[in-house]
């Protein structure tokens, strides 16, 4: 198919890449890349799907096997009403509880947890043309009717979602609204799942507990009390007065302040107490 004939590789110029760029299918021009999801190498001449991710603060293309990318897709009820479709950034928000399609780049962390390193959100109908392209790549066994999460939708909503994903006309049908699955906010943030750049909501970590406004009684530890205005200065020590006078001597004139201080300290130690 036409995906196999595309030579683009994106290894050269990384400028202009955006996390809102649609995933694209290209042919690997070398055997050096590895799938972000399964970790296995992608052979030269094989199809691969690229999504824009971040590495060391720089946007770059990350690769997956087409089958791994298809298995990473998920349809779910929108947990909020703050997201816009990545294919229609100026369009209406996706309402809370409406079905939405997630295109994700999943990766296993060092701790063994599978997390989303990149994600884009689409209204099912807006994703139909893209989905047809991705699922028609050789070796992909996933279909619009077997995308992950469909079996978790309410029974009467599944056919609407499949029809939308397959590009059928659903304009005369009401958009279904279901109950979103509960998801801990901290887990959502760890999974990278709600990044605004990818056409989705921002997920916040739980706020730390508020600090008590009560102040401890008495003088705060480690803080010196403020001197009252007009209070007399502290009395200088004998050593301070002696150093001030001795610094005027010619023998200390060529020395730096620090060197003179060391010499004066040594001289003070050798002085007879009677002096």
């Amino acid at each position: 198919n036409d995906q196999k004939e595309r030579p683009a590789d994106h290894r050269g110029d990384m400028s202009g890449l955006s996390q809102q760029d649609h995933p694209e299918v290209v042919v690997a021009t070398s055997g050096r890349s590895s799938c972000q999801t399964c970790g296995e190498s992608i052979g030269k001449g094989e199809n691969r799907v690229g999504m824009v991710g971040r590495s060391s603060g720089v946007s770059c293309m990350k690769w997956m096997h087409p089958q791994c990318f298809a298995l990473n897709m998920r349809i779910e009820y929108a947990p909020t009403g703050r997201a816009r479709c990545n294919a229609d950034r100026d369009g209406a928000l996706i309402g809370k509880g409406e079905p939405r399609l997630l295109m994700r780049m999943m990766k296993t962390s060092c701790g063994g947890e599978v997390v989303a390193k990149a994600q884009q959100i689409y209204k099912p109908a807006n994703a139909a043309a893209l989905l047809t392209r991705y699922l028609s790549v050789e070796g992909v066994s996933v279909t619009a009717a077997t995308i992950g999460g469909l079996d978790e939708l309410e029974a009467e909503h599944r056919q609407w979602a499949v029809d939308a994903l397959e590009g059928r006309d659903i304009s005369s049908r009401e958009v279904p609204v279901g109950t979103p699955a509960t998801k801990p906010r901290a887990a959502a943030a760890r999974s990278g799942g709600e990044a605004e750049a990818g056409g989705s909501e921002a997920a916040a970590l739980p706020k730390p507990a508020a600090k008590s406004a009560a102040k401890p009684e008495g003088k705060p530890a480690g803080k010196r009390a403020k001197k009252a205005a007009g209070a007399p200065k502290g009395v200088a020590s004998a050593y301070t007065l002696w150093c001030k006078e001795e610094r005027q001597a010619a023998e200390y004139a060529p020395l730096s302040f620090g060197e003179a201080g060391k010499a004066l300290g040594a001289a003070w130690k050798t002085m007879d107490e009677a002096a």
Side-chain angles (χ1 to χ4, degrees):
N1 53 42
D2 61 344
Q3 287 88 351
K4 291 185 177 180
E5 299 170 1
R6 299 184 65 189
D9 161 307
H10 291 289
R11 283 189 172 274
D13 184 13
M14 292 291 179
S15 62
L17 291 180
S18 167
Q19 288 181 303
Q20 295 176 17
D21 294 344
H22 299 312
E24 57 178 291
V25 183
V26 299
V27 174
T29 56
S30 74
R32 296 191 299 270
S33 60
S34 297
C35 177
Q36 292 290 305
T37 298
C38 71
E40 296 183 6
S41 62
I42 300 173
K44 181 178 180 180
E46 293 182 5
N47 284 314
R48 60 183 180 178
V49 179
M51 286 189 77
V52 178
R54 300 284 289 175
S55 181
S56 302
V58 178
S59 293
C60 57
M61 193 68 76
K62 304 280 190 176
W63 304 106
M64 290 166 282
H65 289 116
Q67 175 70 354
C68 291
F69 173 67
L71 290 171
N72 289 340
M73 292 182 192
R74 177 175 176 79
I75 193 160
E76 66 176 17
Y77 293 120
T80 73
R82 298 193 301 268
R84 279 189 169 83
C85 174
N86 194 55
D88 185 15
R89 298 291 297 172
D90 296 324
L93 295 170
I94 300 174
K96 182 176 181 179
E98 292 182 8
R100 65 180 191 176
L101 177 69
L102 308 180
M103 293 188 185
R104 308 180 296 177
M105 178 173 66
M106 308 299 290
K107 187 172 183 179
T108 304
S109 67
C110 296
E113 182 182 11
V114 179
V115 296
K117 304 300 287 185
Q119 171 175 286
Q120 294 181 356
I121 291 177
Y122 294 87
K123 290 183 177 180
N126 291 348
L130 288 171
L131 198 64
T132 299
R133 184 192 311 168
Y134 303 140
L135 301 186
S136 64
V137 176
E138 183 179 352
V140 174
S141 60
V142 178
T143 67
T146 60
I147 284 178
L150 268 173
D151 57 345
E152 298 174 26
L153 300 185
E154 295 176 25
E156 59 270 26
H157 299 164
R158 291 174 198 160
Q159 191 57 54
W160 180 95
V162 172
D163 289 346
L165 293 172
E166 291 183 343
R168 296 189 180 92
D169 184 12
I170 57 168
S171 58
S172 61
R173 294 156 67 181
E174 187 177 349
V175 177
V177 176
T179 304
T182 56
K183 186 177 185 182
R185 298 179 74 190
R190 282 198 305 270
S191 69
E194 303 294 338
E196 181 63 33
S200 49
E201 307 96 353
L205 288 168
K207 294 182 179 179
K211 293 182 178 179
S212 173
K215 294 183 179 179
E217 294 183 6
K219 180 180 174 182
K223 288 189 178 181
R224 184 178 293 179
K226 266 191 172 182
K227 187 181 287 187
K233 293 182 179 180
V235 179
S237 67
Y239 174 70
T240 302
L241 295 172
W242 178 80
C243 285
K244 186 176 181 180
E245 184 178 344
E246 288 295 314
R247 279 183 188 277
Q248 310 304 319
E251 60 184 295
Y252 298 114
L255 303 179
S256 67
F257 186 85
E259 291 171 339
K262 288 182 181 179
L264 287 166
W268 176 265
K269 289 181 180 178
T270 60
M271 290 179 61
D272 185 7
E273 290 186 4

